[in-house]
Each structure stands twice: as structure tokens, then as C-alpha cells.
Amino acid sequence: MELIQETPDLSAYLAADEVIDHDHPLVRETAARLAENVQDSYAYARAAYEYVRDAIPHSADSGDLRVTWRASDVLERRTGICYAKAHALAALLRAEDIPTALCYQRLAHDDGSGHAVHGLVAVRFNGAWHRQDPRGNKPGVDARFSLDGERLAWVPDAKSSEVDYPVLYAAPHPAVVRALRAAPDRPALWKTLPTAL
């Protein structure tokens, strides 16, 4: 699949905003700590990815009812669904000047009751974008950081009306942010997740 930049301006994929708040002290401190033990930006990107994937539980997996949406809140509360974890990873990567986009898939619910949009990131290395899924592994999910072929949590199945959206967004999609901000808790969020973009 060919990934399509929403804007040709690469600096947009380094910007901070209300959601990807990489200017926040906690994001900066976390990024600095992760950068201490690595040799280059590729190793940093892998370390940041593994930190978000492994050290911040997906709230559905852990049973946490809190909803986070701002990157600094995800890092502070150490919880979030796929979108929130993608926001945290984007902030950590952008804090170290690695262009990072938000991207999405449309996936079927496990119980067959419809679809939901799933959040990912894409990092830019060596002139190309590489999608990464920091949602967190569990039985049946083995996502890994990779610049040599995708190692995502799920591969969409067209027969089930699942979709890989090709657009690389500089900021989180407004439908995602609206759903996260409006939800008082995760059970309420589950009822309002975007079903398509």
C-alpha cells in the first residue's frame, strides 16, 4: 500500500499540539531517559516504541476504565487505548526530531458486531514512511518495531470490510479526538468509537 502524506511539509510531522504535546515536561523527561541508552535515532525510535507498547498497558487489556487522549496524560497515567498510545509514541518520537504521522485502520470487532477505527503511527526513516502499532501485545497479537516490512497487530481483511487507510495525518483525526475527549470512561467510549474515517 502506498502511504499518502496529508501535507508535503515534513515539519508538520514534528509539530506539537494539544494532543501530541511533546513540549510537556513529562514527555521531554521520558524522551531524555529513553535517549540515554541508545546510539542513534533508529535505536531511539525502537526504544520509544517498545516503551509505549510494553510499559503502558492498553486499557482494554488491563481493565482500566480511564480514558486518556493527550500524550502527556498517557505517560503520566500509564494507560490508554490504541489512539492514546499512538499519541504518546508520536510525542516521544517528535520530541527527538523523528517525523511521525498518525494513521488508521478500520477493523471488525472480535464479536462481529461492527467495525472500529484502530490507531497507529508511521515513522519516517531513510526517505520512507514505516507504520508501527504500539497498542500492546497479547495472545494472538505480536506487533514489533520494524523498518523492514510491517509487523502490525492486525492485517485488515477486505472480505470483512476491513481497511488500511493510506493517509498519514500530521495531527490526530478529529473524529478520534472528539470520541476520546467526550467519553467519561472506557465503556462509554466503546459505544462512540469511530466506525470509519
Side-chain angles (χ1 to χ4, degrees):
M1 175 183 70
E2 182 182 350
L3 299 173
I4 302 164
Q5 285 182 214
E6 176 187 33
T7 173
D9 181 7
L10 266 184
S11 68
Y13 297 97
L14 293 168
D17 61 27
E18 185 181 18
V19 180
I20 312 297
D21 59 341
H22 64 76
D23 49 358
H24 189 280
L26 179 57
V27 177
R28 290 289 180 188
E29 290 165 18
T30 305
R33 189 175 68 252
L34 291 168
E36 283 176 1
N37 303 315
V38 298
Q39 313 271 317
D40 56 28
S41 60
Y42 171 78
Y44 173 82
R46 177 186 295 276
Y49 168 85
E50 290 175 353
Y51 176 77
V52 172
R53 183 193 66 190
D54 300 340
I56 299 171
H58 188 288
S59 58
D61 296 348
S62 67
D64 196 319
L65 300 182
R66 296 174 295 168
V67 175
T68 54
W69 54 272
R70 183 180 288 119
S72 58
D73 291 338
V74 176
L75 296 176
E76 179 182 356
R77 296 179 186 170
R78 301 179 70 80
T79 190
I81 68 165
C82 61
Y83 309 131
K85 292 183 67 161
H87 300 164
L89 180 56
L92 289 172
L93 294 170
R94 290 181 183 187
E96 291 294 315
D97 295 319
I98 298 170
T100 307
L102 287 304
C103 45
Y104 302 93
Q105 297 173 317
R106 179 179 192 248
L107 300 172
H109 291 298
D110 291 340
D111 64 6
S113 63
H115 293 83
V117 174
H118 175 61
L120 316 163
V121 303
V123 294
R124 189 165 177 88
F125 278 103
N126 304 321
W129 290 99
H130 307 272
R131 293 190 308 165
Q132 314 294 329
D133 189 342
R135 74 128 356 252
N137 289 337
K138 62 180 186 173
V141 175
D142 186 26
R144 304 213 176 257
F145 184 84
S146 176
L147 302 182
D148 301 316
E150 294 185 334
R151 296 288 307 271
L152 305 178
W154 294 284
V155 176
D157 177 8
K159 293 178 200 151
S160 299
S161 299
E162 295 182 334
V163 176
D164 267 321
Y165 292 109
V167 176
L168 300 170
Y169 294 92
H173 194 282
V176 166
V177 177
R178 272 194 307 273
L180 289 170
R181 290 184 73 166
D185 56 32
R186 192 172 40 78
L189 176 62
W190 257 213
K191 296 174 185 169
T192 60
L193 288 173
T195 58
L197 295 182

